[in-house]
Amino acid sequence: MDLFCRVCGRPRSNGKLMDRNQKNVLRWFKNDESFSSETLMICGTCRTTVKIHKLDHSRSKKTNKRPTKILNIIPWNSKENSPIFNNKGIAYRTSFGLRRALDGTYRNPQEQLPEHEIPLLPTVPETEEIPSPAGKKEMDVPQCLAGGIPRRSKRKPKDNFPEETLQEMIPKILSGVEEGIQIEFYGEKGCGIKTNRPFKKGDYVCEYKGELVDMSEGMEREQKYSKDASLGSYCFYFKHKNHKLCIDATQESPYMGRLVNHSREGNLVPMTVEVKRNPRLILKAKEDIDANTEVTYDYGDLSKESVKHNPWLAF
Ligand SMILES: C[S@@+](CC[C@H](N)C(=O)[O-])C[C@H]1O[C@@H](n2cnc3c(N)ncnc32)[C@H](O)[C@@H]1O
C-alpha cells in the first residue's frame, strides 16, 4: 500500500519507529511494513510525527495472511482525528504544520514565505560580549558531553561574506526559499539533502535555520537533549564579532539546512552573514555541484572523544 505524506508529499517509504514516549528510536522502518499498535511513526522525509493507534492484525480468511492495513491513526497530543496524511481513508495528524494542513493552507517548504512570517532570530546586542562558559576553552565547547557521549561537532563557519554576493543572497535568506534541494533518505545517516539541479561554486544553497542562542545556553540545551537518544545533534556553534553563539535547530522545521550531513570532503561550506543586524548561518557551494548529489559539509570535529563515539566524523 502506498502512503504519501500530505505534509511533504513524499512516499512514506522510510522513517523512524519510536517508542511510545517518543524517547527511543526502535528502528528504521521499511516500506510496506505493518506496525504494532501504539507505535509512533515519523515520516522519513519531512519527519512529521504521527501516532499509530490500532492496526488490523487479523488474518485474511481467503489468504490467511496478515494485512498491513492501518485501521486508524490518532494524533499525538490530540483527541480529534483529522486527516493530514491520507491514503484511502487513513487518517493521520501531525505535530507541525497542523493548522495549515487542516484548513488546506499548508505551505510547501519550497514556497516563499511572506516576510511577516519569516521566523526572525532574536537580536543579539552588538556591544554585548557573550561570556564563554566558565572554565571551558572554546575548543572544548562543541564536544559537550552529556550522558558521556560527545554530540555536536565543532563546525566552523567562515566570516565576512563578500559584500556583492551577500547582496544577492539577502533576499533569498529573508524569503526562506530553499530552491534546488530536497530531502532524501540515506540509510544509517538518516535524512540528508540532495540537489535537484546543478549549483555553481559560491552559490547560496540554504540556511542553517534555527533558534539563535548564546553558546552557554546551547550547551545547556545539548545536555538536556542528550538524555533523549532519539534526538540527533543539531546545535551549531560559531563565533560572530567576538560573540560565541549557537544555532539550535533541534526543533523540527520545514527548513532543510538542519538536515545536511557531514563529510570531510563536503561540497558545501558554512558561512556567517549578518542580516538586519542578526548573524545568520548559511551553507554555500564550495565547488560546482551536479544535480542529484548529496550536499554535505565538514562538521569539523576530529577530537578523539567525538570520533570514538561518532566514527563517521573521520570521513
Ligand atoms: C544535523 S543532523 C543531520 C541530519 C540527520 N541525518 C537527520 O536525519 O536528522 C546530524 C546527525 O546526522 C547524522 N550524520 C550526519 N552526517 C553523518 C555521516 N556522514 N554518517 C553518519 N551519520 C551522519 C548523525 O546522527 C548526526 O548527529
Side-chain angles (χ1 to χ4, degrees), residues 16 28 47 152 155 188-192 208 232-234 257-263 297 299 310 312-313 315:
K16 281 177 186 176
W28 290 91
R47 303 156 61 85
R152 176 68 314 154
R155 301 183 245 185
E188 285 187 350
K189 285 200 261 181
C191 289
Y208 191 92
S233 183
Y234 298 89
R258 65 189 290 280
L259 296 181
V260 177
N261 286 322
H262 157 86
S263 164
Y297 62 95
Y299 287 7
N310 307 287
W312 46 268
L313 280 171
F315 303 98

Side-chain angles (χ1 to χ4, degrees), residues 23-35:
K23 289 273 182 242
N24 300 301
V25 180
L26 302 178
R27 62 194 164 82
W28 290 91
F29 67 75
K30 299 187 194 104
N31 213 356
D32 30 283
E33 175 172 355
S34 66
F35 304 95

Side-chain angles (χ1 to χ4, degrees), residues 6 77 108 124 127-128 138 181 197 219 240 288 290:
R6 273 267 193 108
N77 263 347
N108 182 311
V124 180
T127 48
E128 198 182 306
E138 200 199 332
I181 50 172
R197 63 138 170 102
M219 288 174 63
H240 180 71
D288 290 353
D290 291 335

Side-chain angles (χ1 to χ4, degrees), residues 229-240:
S230 72
L231 290 178
S233 183
Y234 298 89
C235 286
F236 191 143
Y237 297 95
F238 65 108
K239 216 170 162 185
H240 180 71

